[in-house]
Structures are given as C-alpha cells and as structure tokens.
C-alpha cells in the first residue's frame, strides 16, 4: 500500500520545493507538477509531489492521518 501525505509549498527553486508537511519541513521534487505555486497544497509520495490538491482536502487528509496515528498508538 502506498500513502501520499499532503504538504504546503513554502518555497520553490526550479523543480525543487520546500514543503511544510504537518509541521515538518521537507525538500521534494515538483517535476510531476511543474505548475504548482507557493502556498498550494500537494500530495507527496517518496520525495515527489504527485498532485495538487485544494486546502480543504489537505486539511481533511491531515486530520484523518492524525486520527489513524492516535488509534495506532492506543493499540486500537
């Protein structure tokens, strides 16, 4: 199973972006979404932004991931 995590584009330099991924900064490639702009959300998988998503979808996905992580920690 593959999982893509939502991240907000913080800065862009060519095809490399700094993103905020749930409070953690990461460097990712935007080769697959060259039209992305600072402030937009992308789905990141294996160091690549693979798609642009809207703010609402990003927030909902982050909330679901946090719920799953919390349940896992509790052994549910």
């Amino acid at each position: 199973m593959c999982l893509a995590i939502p991240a907000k584009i913080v800065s862009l330099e060519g095809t490399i972006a700094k993103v905020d991924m749930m409070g953690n900064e990461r460097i990712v490639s935007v080769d697959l979404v060259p039209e992305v702009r600072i402030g937009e959300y992308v789905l990141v998988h294996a160091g690549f932004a693979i798609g642009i998503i809207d703010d609402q979808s990003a927030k909902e996905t982050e909330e679901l991931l946090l719920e799953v992580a919390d349940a896992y920690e509790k052994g549910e």
Side-chain angles (χ1 to χ4, degrees):
M1 180 172 98
C2 296
L3 185 63
I5 308 295
K8 187 173 188 176
I9 302 290
V10 176
S11 66
L12 286 166
E13 189 170 323
T15 61
I16 301 298
K18 183 186 296 184
V19 299
D20 179 340
M21 188 180 294
M22 299 176 68
N24 298 294
E25 284 192 351
R26 300 277 187 255
I27 303 297
V28 301
S29 169
V30 293
D31 282 325
L32 301 175
V33 287
E35 69 278 14
V36 74
R37 300 288 174 247
I38 294 172
E40 291 185 308
Y41 282 88
V42 292
L43 287 175
V44 176
H45 174 68
F48 288 86
I50 60 172
I52 300 171
I53 59 172
D54 60 68
D55 295 4
Q56 180 73 21
S57 295
K59 303 261 187 251
E60 289 173 2
T61 303
E62 286 177 350
E63 289 172 9
L64 289 170
L65 289 170
L66 290 172
E67 285 179 30
V68 168
D70 187 50
Y72 180 77
E73 286 180 6
K74 292 178 180 176
E76 296 177 2

